[in-house]
Amino acid sequence: MIRALVAAALFVSGPALATEWVHCASPAGEASLDYLSGDGLGVLSVVGLNISVGEQVWASDVAYGPGDPVSVGQQFEDAETVRIDAMDGDFAKLAELRLFKAAEGDSFVHGGTLRIAGHGAWPVTCEGP
């Protein structure tokens, strides 16, 4: 009984789940994809998206900014890569973010490609956790 109470107390008092924005943009700023990443306990959990190209903007929630509706499709992360797909209001693939990760000491880098259907493809670098 005491073990069960201790285990329950540890579960309830465990660390709070954190979310942080990762900003990925092309070098000249023509296109960007920002994603709000939750602490999925070792699993990528994208809870929000903002995408822009030129004057066109998409957002997964009005709380994240104005724009046409977009939702998270595929989301995957392993030790070396991140893959996120965004779906438009008709559930067609709107954007693909493909990243490689590298770390050395305190330096950490994400870089890869962003493709937005009907608009183009760009190399991107990312800032964030």
Side-chain angles (χ1 to χ4, degrees):
M1 175 70 172
I2 293 175
R3 286 184 184 159
L5 290 173
V6 170
L10 289 173
F11 179 75
V12 171
S13 66
L17 296 179
T19 57
E20 295 192 47
W21 283 98
V22 177
H23 172 68
C24 301
S26 61
E30 310 95 335
S32 67
L33 186 149
D34 300 339
Y35 64 94
L36 182 58
S37 179
D39 180 359
L41 301 175
V43 176
L44 178 64
S45 177
V46 176
V47 295
L49 290 172
N50 286 335
I51 303 168
S52 66
V53 59
E55 297 297 316
Q56 180 67 52
V57 177
W58 296 267
S60 61
D61 190 300
V62 294
Y64 303 138
D68 293 334
V70 65
S71 60
V72 179
Q74 167 183 260
Q75 52 186 325
F76 175 81
E77 181 177 29
D78 62 21
E80 299 173 341
T81 63
V82 174
R83 292 187 291 260
I84 299 171
D85 290 346
M87 312 303 281
D88 67 14
D90 295 325
F91 298 103
K93 190 184 295 184
L94 171 68
E96 296 176 342
L97 181 66
R98 302 294 185 260
L99 302 174
F100 286 97
K101 303 185 298 185
E104 182 62 38
D106 292 339
S107 299
F108 187 77
V109 178
H110 284 97
T113 60
L114 170 61
R115 185 186 71 81
I116 301 175
H119 294 278
W122 299 266
V124 294
T125 57
C126 304
E127 297 176 7

